[in-house]
């Protein structure tokens, strides 16, 4: 999705959630500043180091929905993971590590289980860190300690940051896969329902909880964006929840 197309979604999201565009831009500036000082990777680096290395245009994107553990087990039993680029959406990284799988790429706004995200990064997972209006403190706290980081923003991209479209970690991971040349994408743990897991909300004491109204609305947008992909992009999209 190019920025002109994304901007239509973005303006709608800003209005619907009463988000601050200035806050988004400030967070993006901070992320860009840190990456320019500490070092960053580009989309071409991701293509070369992961996609070209694996020599595949097939991807699996892991979300943190209630079906995630069931889907990981199913995928491990029925697919050769070496044939796919594996992208986890933030907290889904924890579910993968629990089953001894390290994703190739993690799309994160840094509010998942950071111990697990750092552990996966140490084990060579590349990170796509997203800056938005309310994660500036997390960007400041963690970004300098990460390796192989590419930055994204939901506002207009500046400096070394990108914007491929997408709102939540999950659908942004799908748009990232498309930018990396995906022709086939399997979606795991993408329930788009009203239940959140401990993987998407690591401070929850329960494995499953009812989503709050903001989270429900975010998941509706994520589902809408996935449907936009189905209608507008030539890609095989298989949601294991269907």
């Amino acid at each position: 999705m190019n920025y002109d197309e994304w901007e239509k979604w973005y303006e709608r999201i800003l209005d619907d959630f009463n988000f601050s565009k200035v806050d988004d831009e400030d967070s993006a500036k901070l992320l860009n500043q840190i990456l320019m000082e500490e070092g960053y990777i580009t989309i071409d680096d991701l293509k070369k180091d992961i996609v070209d290395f694996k020599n595949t245009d097939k991807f699996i994107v892991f979300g943190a929905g209630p079906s995630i553990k069931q889907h990981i087990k199913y995928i491990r039993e029925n697919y050769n993971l070496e044939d796919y680029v594996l992208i986890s959406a933030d907290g889904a990284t924890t579910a993968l590590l629990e089953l001894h799988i390290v994703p190739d790429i993690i799309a994160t706004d840094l509010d998942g289980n950071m111990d697990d995200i750092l552990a996966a990064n140490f084990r060579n997972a590349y990170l796509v860190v997203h800056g938005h209006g309310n994660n500036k403190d997390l960007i400041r706290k963690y970004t300098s300690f990460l390796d192989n980081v590419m930055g994204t923003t939901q506002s207009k991209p500046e400096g070394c940051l990108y914007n491929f479209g997408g709102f939540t970690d999950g659908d942004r991971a799908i748009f990232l896969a498309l930018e990396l040349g995906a022709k086939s994408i399997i979606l795991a743990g993408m329930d788009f329902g009203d239940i959140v897991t401990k993987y998407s909300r690591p401070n929850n004491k329960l494995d499953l909880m009812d989503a709050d109204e903001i989270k429900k609305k975010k998941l509706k947008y994520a589902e809408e964006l996935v449907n936009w992909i189905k209608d507008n992009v030539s890609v095989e999209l298989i949601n294991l929840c269907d």
Side-chain angles (χ1 to χ4, degrees), residues 6-220:
W6 166 247
E7 191 172 26
K8 301 171 189 175
W9 289 87
Y10 182 44
E11 294 294 339
R12 178 181 157 200
I13 288 167
L14 288 172
D15 182 64
D16 203 1
F17 289 85
N18 197 28
F19 287 161
S20 166
K21 190 174 188 178
V22 171
D23 287 347
D24 283 342
E25 292 170 345
D26 286 347
S27 188
K29 288 175 184 176
L30 174 65
L31 178 59
N32 179 68
Q33 177 186 345
I34 294 172
L35 292 179
M36 294 293 283
E37 292 172 355
E38 300 286 346
Y40 61 91
I41 60 171
T42 67
I43 191 68
D44 289 334
D45 293 325
L46 277 181
K47 289 178 180 176
K48 176 173 64 71
D49 294 351
I50 297 176
V51 182
D52 293 349
F53 180 78
K54 284 199 162 185
N55 190 28
T56 184
D57 57 13
K58 298 187 294 185
F59 287 65
I60 303 175
V61 174
F62 298 89
S67 63
I68 183 59
K69 292 298 279 285
Q70 171 192 345
H71 285 170
I72 294 172
K73 291 174 183 176
Y74 173 82
I75 286 168
R76 191 163 58 179
E77 291 170 359
N78 291 277
Y79 296 87
N80 181 357
L81 296 182
E82 294 303 314
D83 294 337
Y84 295 82
V85 174
L86 309 180
I87 305 180
S88 67
D90 203 39
T93 305
T94 297
L96 287 166
L97 292 184
E98 287 176 353
L99 293 175
H100 310 293
I101 298 170
V102 178
D104 298 302
I105 303 168
I106 302 169
T108 177
D109 62 358
L110 305 175
D111 68 354
N113 185 319
M114 284 307 300
D115 287 341
D116 290 333
I117 290 172
L118 288 163
N121 187 222
F122 181 75
R123 290 166 175 79
N124 300 319
Y126 283 44
L127 296 186
V128 178
V129 173
H130 188 67
H132 58 68
N134 65 354
N135 75 336
K136 188 182 293 186
D137 288 344
L138 296 173
I139 289 170
R140 188 178 289 109
K141 180 177 181 179
Y142 290 112
T143 306
S144 297
F145 296 98
L146 305 173
D147 293 319
N148 293 319
V149 183
M150 188 177 82
T152 61
T153 174
Q154 59 194 36
S155 55
K156 188 173 182 179
E158 303 287 352
C160 67
L161 305 187
Y162 296 90
N163 186 336
F164 308 120
F167 180 37
T168 72
D169 289 318
D171 59 278
R172 280 190 289 101
I174 301 169
F175 280 102
L176 173 64
L178 294 173
E179 190 67 25
L180 289 170
K183 298 300 182 185
S184 174
I185 306 174
I186 297 170
L187 306 183
M190 294 280 189
D191 298 80
F192 303 122
D194 295 337
I195 303 296
V196 294
T197 68
K198 65 180 181 181
Y199 301 116
S200 64
R201 291 288 187 268
N203 292 326
N204 284 353
K205 295 181 180 180
L206 301 176
D207 288 350
L208 301 174
M209 292 184 67
D210 291 331
D212 60 35
E213 292 305 313
I214 295 295
K215 183 64 174 180
K216 289 178 183 178
K217 191 189 292 189
K218 287 182 176 181
L219 290 171
K220 290 294 184 184

